Amino acid sequence: MSVDHPDTLSDEGSVRAALRSPRRLRTEILAGLVVALALIPEAISFSIIAGVDPRVGLFASFTMAVTIAFVGGRRAMISAATGAIALVVAPLARDYGLDYLIAAVLLAGVLQIALSLLGVAKLMRFIPRSVMTGFVNALAILIFTAQLPHLIDVPVLVYPMVAVGLLIMVFLPRYTKVVPAPLVAIVLLTAVTVFFALNVPNVGDEGELPSSLPAWLIPDVPMNMETLSIIAPFALAMALVGLLESLMTAKLVDDITDTHSDKTREGWGQGVANLVTGLFGGMGGCAMIGQTMINVKVSGARTRISTFLAGVFLLVLVVGLGDVVALIPMAALVAVMIMVSVGTMDWHSIAPKTLRRMPRSETTVMLATVAVTVLTHNLAYGVVVGVVTAMVLFARRVAHLTEVVDIAHPDDDTRVYAVRGELFFASSNDLVYQFDYVGDPRNVVIDMSDSHIWDASTVATLDAITTKYAAKGKNVDIVGLNRASADRHVRLSGQMGADH
């Protein structure tokens, strides 16, 4: 699998380096197996949310993981069928059926490729750290709450089994990391369940597992504008939600592994993966943050091998070993996901000491992101609200940094004002009210050496100031503009309708 760039072949994320190291290769293989086991119940659950057969979600997870292992830009990241995508496509599947769903998945893949090549990944730089923190914390909460249905109204044996699973994953790594603790917990609890014939919920109770390989599928829909009008809104929503979650997850893995990833490649890679998924009858998907955390943070995987094998193991398990996999108690997988939730939460961000030091605006942005995400169960909504909140609070804060100061009276007929600060629509809005149009002398000088004009709103405000002085028979001279501000002022002054 020669899919790494030449300059990265010697680092720990290199496929070739992993293939040459038995220890590293073992880690990648076992990580892929753990992820595959965790994917099965989630893929089935997401299929139910989307209103499709469980095989549609399972095949989507297989094709997404295998494809993104080759074309993705973030090594060791897991892509599969996800809850966010399931929520988006559920109305389409319910009202129009599977063929229209598959058509929307294919169109979403095309849109993701186009958007990525147009540079949408570069917009990640506008997502503040407080939004990222809220994103991570909300994810941890959602992962945990998703386990609650498996802990309510269940046999009492489930609770000690979950506790034993958690104890294994907490204490085993202190003694050995040869085998991932989650895998040990799953195997041990499954063996105990089978040996003692315990009557507890298992994977088989979640839905029927497929017994055949995925087949090539071309959706049977009319190729006309009516079909396009039906699937386009869903495809666009899928594309945007998928890109946002995938790029946010890639950034999170970058931080965890202290490495850089190609976000543009990851974006169009997601599009390619959705095209392949759609052609094999899958429901589409994007990066899975929970499974990625299992792979990277819990199991220690770092290469594309784990991602590829997660997909391969998933197919082998559900098709070839479906009867065995069906016996895995849900308690074991719930314990794994609880550990993922605990490990995902940024506990430092909510520590009292941190909250006391953090500016209120940063905490507000984080809480807004968490609240919206948890309430809607959609990470994309939370991120959008968080970014908007951060923009509003930033604009409000910067607006208060602008001031107008009376600095000189060279003679009886002249007054000089200094305008200081960054001038844009929020900060320049009240600028027009900070001058004495009646009491000022005949000549007014506005010195803008310590300010910068950022937008047309500021130019319109300056025009309004000049107009108000002119109405009183007074002359205004604007001086001290830097080159960029002067260019913007010359180009837009008199064109903004300020004279009304």
Side-chain angles (χ1 to χ4, degrees), residues 26-27 30-31 34 169 172-173 177-185 298-299:
R26 181 181 65 244
T27 298
L30 294 177
V34 173
M169 286 180 282
L172 183 61
K177 294 184 179 180
V178 174
V179 180
L183 182 58
V184 174
V298 178
S299 300

Side-chain angles (χ1 to χ4, degrees), residues 90-159:
L92 180 62
R94 180 187 64 243
D95 297 337
Y96 294 95
L98 180 61
D99 285 306
Y100 279 85
L101 168 59
I102 301 304
V105 172
L106 295 172
L107 180 57
V110 173
L111 290 174
Q112 285 181 325
I113 294 172
L115 290 170
S116 298
L117 294 178
L118 289 173
V120 71
K122 296 178 181 177
L123 297 177
M124 282 295 294
R125 71 184 66 179
F126 295 105
I127 298 181
R129 186 183 183 281
S130 52
V131 174
M132 281 293 298
T133 302
F135 171 81
V136 170
N137 291 343
L139 167 66
I141 294 171
L142 288 180
I143 292 174
F144 179 79
T145 55
Q147 311 315 309
L148 295 181
H150 301 296
L151 297 172
I152 298 174
D153 195 23
V154 294
V156 70
L157 280 174
V158 168
Y159 302 110

Side-chain angles (χ1 to χ4, degrees), residues 33-34 37 160-169 172 179-198 200 327-333 335-336:
L33 179 57
V34 173
L37 290 169
M161 291 179 70
V162 171
V164 169
L166 292 173
L167 289 173
I168 291 173
M169 286 180 282
L172 183 61
V179 180
L183 182 58
V184 174
I186 291 171
V187 171
L188 181 61
L189 291 175
T190 301
V192 170
T193 301
V194 173
F195 184 80
F196 291 102
L198 301 179
V200 293
L327 299 175
I328 297 175
M330 285 303 298
L333 299 176
V336 172

Side-chain angles (χ1 to χ4, degrees), residues 17-41:
L19 292 174
R20 292 171 183 153
S21 168
R23 182 185 62 82
R24 169 54 53 188
L25 184 59
R26 181 181 65 244
T27 298
E28 298 294 319
I29 293 172
L30 294 177
L33 179 57
V34 173
V35 170
L37 290 169
L39 275 173
I40 295 171

Side-chain angles (χ1 to χ4, degrees), residues 165-301:
L166 292 173
L167 289 173
I168 291 173
M169 286 180 282
V170 169
F171 292 104
L172 183 61
R174 299 183 182 183
Y175 300 99
T176 178
K177 294 184 179 180
V178 174
V179 180
L183 182 58
V184 174
I186 291 171
V187 171
L188 181 61
L189 291 175
T190 301
V192 170
T193 301
V194 173
F195 184 80
F196 291 102
L198 301 179
N199 184 23
V200 293
N202 56 33
V203 171
D205 297 329
E206 296 296 302
E208 183 181 356
L209 299 177
S211 58
S212 61
L213 296 174
W216 188 265
L217 175 66
I218 301 296
D220 183 17
V221 297
M223 302 296 288
N224 54 36
M225 292 302 298
E226 181 180 359
T227 299
L228 183 62
S229 66
I230 292 172
I231 67 173
F234 295 97
L236 180 60
M238 285 178 62
L240 294 176
V241 169
L243 283 175
L244 183 57
E245 290 210 27
S246 299
L247 295 176
M248 292 285 282
T249 305
K251 179 67 169 62
L252 180 60
V253 178
D254 288 353
D255 294 340
I256 292 173
T257 61
D258 196 24
T259 58
H260 177 70
S261 61
D262 187 339
K263 303 301 187 300
T264 297
R265 178 177 173 180
E266 182 60 40
W268 64 254
Q270 291 289 331
V272 172
N274 272 309
L275 283 175
V276 173
T277 295
L279 291 173
F280 280 96
M283 59 180 277
C286 60
M288 291 196 77
I289 309 171
Q291 272 63 28
T292 298
M293 290 299 100
I294 292 176
N295 196 46
V296 175
K297 199 166 186 179
V298 178
S299 300

